[in-house]
Amino acid sequence: MKIILISLDTLRADRLSCYGYAQLTSPHIDSIASQGALFEQAFPSDIPTEVAHTSIFTGKIGLSTGVVSHGSPSSFLSKEHSWLPEILRKSGFTTAAVDNLYHLKEWFARGYQYYLNTVGTTRWIDGQKVNDLAKSWIKDHKDEDFFLFLHYWDPHTPYLPPEHYVPQFYDTGRNPYDPKNKSMEQAFNHPAYPFFKHHHYDLLDGVTDISYLDALYNAEIRYMDDLLKDLDSFLADQGITEETMLILFGDHGESLTEHNIFWDHCGLYEPTVHVPMIIRWNENIKAGTRVSGMVQHTDLFPTILEAVGCENPSHVDGQSLWPLLHGTKKGNYDEIYLSECAWQAARAIRTERYKYIKTYDGGPFTRPPSELYDLHEDPHELTNLVSVFPDLAQQFESKLDTWLQVRNGDREDPLLATVQREGLPFKRRIEKILSSHGLTWEEWKKDTRRERLEFSSQLRT
């Protein structure tokens, strides 16, 4: 048996054709879904990248591991927590990763006999490099039972797809660099601008059309889809498709200007927390299966272990997906809990109909302390109903407090501890940039729109 677990970093579900997107971004991912199972409502427990992947490989939410913040220098995953590659290695699988998460935290290399690092001379990791390394490794180990983790970063900023993918999603008659176009000004004026100038905008050579960035994101997905097609064809050439359990997931999505978030993955809104999850394992999963109930990242851990006949460790938070895949159960949860700590610190409860968000620290964003959305009537989460249904909001607030108390007990809340002792990790990055220009965070936030926009223009030049 072979298991290939593929992380599609920064991929939101609603930009895939198989999840209902009108444009053809994902023909091969669609094909994989048609051959296996697609989970219509899959969510992380914690975002963004560091904490999301930690929950996947432990089967535990951040409150259980204590790893709740992306970029926190004090975060550490104790070895008392079971780690998926370690379990599989001890069970006789050859384990390998084509990945670079080790550069975030050391525990991401645990349990691998082979760790092929994708970091090169630039920060942008082209998925072609992932394919080249993965195909070479698979060819050498195709006769073994193996577990292979692959990590594609292509949909992540700075959105630099091969140029020939862009015209499918952007009118070639338009000029994305037209100086008369002012649609980017709102992004340039955002308090998080100094960070994105360095990590995104400067790499796009002066784009002025906000819709062009949307097209670039779609083009990145389409490019990655071709890479997956190439990988899948290689599996067929090696004769191992039938025995391979192939799992695709998004670690988090991406906000493409929604909720005043410009091309980043923060906020517990649907664009960031509704992610794709697809599993194909021929003859073991009925082709064309669509699971409508809610599931989470943590469910992959027990699902994989059940597939290989391993007993689940105790105290795992996730639930096996096999009852859903066999049609004996609709979903694993009636309500799910979400957490973030990078740009913002917040938690949320999502049910089939409602989402309640509690913000502890909005960072560079202006957020109300609590938000309530009716996802049936307001799927884009535009109308905060806290003042309209205060009793319902209070019920969710109490439920969140109770959940936190039950899960965390008398221990210090790791999310609040991180914010109080270290501050928000990405806010610290902005402060470092601002300090080089003689500004403090407080001064930057207090500036009027025009003053900040003038300073942003100086940074741009």
Side-chain angles (χ1 to χ4, degrees), residues 255-266:
S255 288
L256 306 169
T257 75
E258 298 95 342
H259 292 92
N260 206 33
I261 303 167
F262 297 97
W263 312 292
D264 195 57
H265 26 277
C266 61

Side-chain angles (χ1 to χ4, degrees), residues 194-226:
F195 176 89
F196 288 104
K197 167 188 161 53
H198 287 264
H199 296 282
H200 191 185
Y201 307 143
D202 280 358
L203 303 175
L204 298 178
D205 296 326
V207 170
T208 60
D209 185 1
I210 204 167
S211 63
Y212 186 67
L213 275 79
D214 197 72
L216 292 177
Y217 180 75
N218 285 343
E220 286 280 27
I221 298 172
R222 186 65 184 82
Y223 172 53
M224 182 174 64
D225 188 79
D226 273 352

Side-chain angles (χ1 to χ4, degrees), residues 27 57 59 96 111 119 134 142 163 171 173 189 193 204 220 238 264 277 297 345 366 394 427:
F57 286 112
V119 168
K142 65 179 181 179
E163 290 184 4
D171 182 357
N189 183 50
Y193 171 80
L204 298 178
E220 286 280 27
Q238 299 300 305
D264 195 57
M277 187 184 293
H297 277 162
T366 302
Q394 183 57 52
K427 178 182 170 185

Side-chain angles (χ1 to χ4, degrees), residues 129-398:
K129 183 174 184 180
V130 176
N131 271 21
D132 292 344
L133 292 170
K135 288 160 67 175
S136 177
W137 189 90
I138 290 170
K139 185 176 181 179
D140 291 340
H141 298 273
K142 65 179 181 179
D143 296 325
E144 305 169 22
D145 290 335
F146 67 71
F147 170 78
L148 176 63
F149 172 60
L150 305 179
H151 192 174
Y152 293 85
W153 287 84
D154 300 275
H156 195 288
T157 51
Y159 308 161
L160 297 172
E163 290 184 4
H164 66 276
Y165 283 88
V166 180
Q168 179 180 342
F169 305 103
Y170 189 77
D171 182 357
T172 55
R174 297 174 64 177
N175 177 11
Y177 308 100
D178 185 352
K180 296 179 182 178
N181 194 330
K182 304 298 182 182
S183 62
M184 290 285 290
E185 291 303 308
Q186 187 177 2
F188 291 159
N189 183 50
H190 194 274
Y193 171 80
F195 176 89
F196 288 104
K197 167 188 161 53
H198 287 264
H199 296 282
H200 191 185
Y201 307 143
D202 280 358
L203 303 175
L204 298 178
D205 296 326
V207 170
T208 60
D209 185 1
I210 204 167
S211 63
Y212 186 67
L213 275 79
D214 197 72
L216 292 177
Y217 180 75
N218 285 343
E220 286 280 27
I221 298 172
R222 186 65 184 82
Y223 172 53
M224 182 174 64
D225 188 79
D226 273 352
L227 294 171
L228 293 173
K229 181 179 180 180
D230 176 56
L231 177 71
D232 211 12
S233 296
F234 182 78
L235 298 180
D237 292 342
Q238 299 300 305
I240 61 174
T241 299
E242 296 300 316
E243 59 183 305
T244 299
M245 183 181 188
L246 183 68
I247 304 171
L248 309 179
F249 69 89
D251 62 336
H252 51 71
E254 184 84 321
S255 288
L256 306 169
T257 75
E258 298 95 342
H259 292 92
N260 206 33
I261 303 167
F262 297 97
W263 312 292
D264 195 57
H265 26 277
C266 61
L268 298 176
Y269 307 106
E270 293 297 281
T272 298
V273 300
H274 181 207
V275 295
M277 187 184 293
I278 297 167
I279 304 178
R280 184 188 72 193
W281 192 14
N282 294 353
E283 298 184 2
N284 294 282
I285 297 175
K286 182 180 178 181
T289 297
R290 293 184 74 98
V291 176
S292 61
M294 292 193 294
V295 301
Q296 282 196 296
H297 277 162
T298 51
D299 299 336
L300 290 173
F301 182 98
T303 301
I304 293 171
L305 292 185
E306 184 173 339
V308 302
C310 287
E311 185 176 347
N312 268 294
S314 59
H315 308 302
V316 170
D317 295 320
Q319 302 179 38
S320 174
L321 297 169
W322 287 107
L324 286 64
L325 293 169
H326 293 152
T328 61
K329 188 178 176 183
K330 177 183 176 183
N332 276 347
Y333 310 97
D334 294 324
E335 57 190 25
I336 58 173
Y337 292 81
L338 305 161
S339 169
E340 67 170 324
C341 187
W343 281 111
Q344 305 170 107
R347 289 192 173 100
I349 305 176
R350 191 196 191 281
T351 67
E352 184 69 29
R353 179 164 185 172
Y354 294 103
K355 183 185 290 179
Y356 176 80
I357 303 173
K358 180 177 181 177
T359 297
Y360 303 95
D361 189 331
F365 299 90
T366 302
R367 303 289 185 216
S370 57
E371 299 166 75
L372 175 66
Y373 299 102
D374 184 337
L375 299 176
H376 287 185
E377 301 295 328
D378 180 26
H380 300 295
E381 299 161 290
L382 300 176
T383 304
N384 184 1
L385 299 175
V386 166
S387 62
V388 179
F389 300 116
D391 292 343
L392 181 58
Q394 183 57 52
Q395 290 175 25
F396 278 115
E397 171 85 10
S398 298

